[in-house]
Amino acid sequence: MTYIVNDNCIACKYTDCVEVCPVDCFYEGENMLVIHPDECIDCGVCEPECPADAIRPDTEPDMEKWVEFNRKYSELWPVIITKKDPLPEAEERDGETGKLEKYFSEAPGEGG
């Protein structure tokens, strides 16, 4: 089992999760985070920290695409271990549907 970040993170990018991760397996894109599935130790401490409920176990239905999504971008983006402010539109975008199609950016974040 591993944990993944899904499209609920897009356009919010809360980083509460990165501070509690004991193995630093979060990677930062321009407008979301991902988890490297091979580095995640399945501890689950990050899941309750996410205000947008964007972190889910891969054992839930239809998570295969998110495991591969997280793998792809964790190999392209820089690691993030320090909490940062969420994106300015985080509150209004939280819970919005269709964010992958509307807002996702493949650009890397700053990391750090």
Side-chain angles (χ1 to χ4, degrees):
M1 187 177 92
T2 187
Y3 284 83
I4 57 86
V5 178
N6 63 29
D7 56 342
N8 289 343
C9 184
I10 298 170
C12 292
K13 198 165 87 171
Y14 292 103
T15 56
D16 307 63
C17 53
V18 303
E19 282 194 319
V20 299
C21 181
V23 293
D24 301 334
C25 65
F26 281 89
Y27 292 79
E28 183 184 15
E30 180 179 35
N31 67 356
M32 77 173 295
L33 304 176
V34 292
I35 295 172
H36 194 301
D38 297 335
E39 295 173 1
C40 177
I41 60 170
D42 315 325
C43 68
V45 297
C46 59
E47 186 180 18
E49 297 299 318
C50 181
D53 195 31
I55 301 173
R56 311 299 313 159
D58 72 343
T59 53
E60 290 186 357
D62 303 319
M63 286 295 147
E64 298 84 12
K65 72 176 186 177
W66 288 109
V67 171
E68 290 313 309
F69 181 94
N70 278 246
R71 182 183 314 284
K72 175 181 178 178
Y73 290 102
S74 65
E75 292 173 359
L76 298 172
W77 295 344
V79 70
I80 178 172
I81 59 172
T82 306
K83 184 176 177 178
K84 300 178 180 181
D85 290 335
L87 295 176
E89 66 271 19
E91 232 176 84
E92 77 181 67
R93 297 277 186 249
D94 188 10
E96 187 177 327
T97 59
K99 294 196 314 183
L100 183 62
E101 297 77 21
K102 290 190 250 184
Y103 308 119
F104 176 68
S105 169
E106 291 188 354
E110 296 176 5

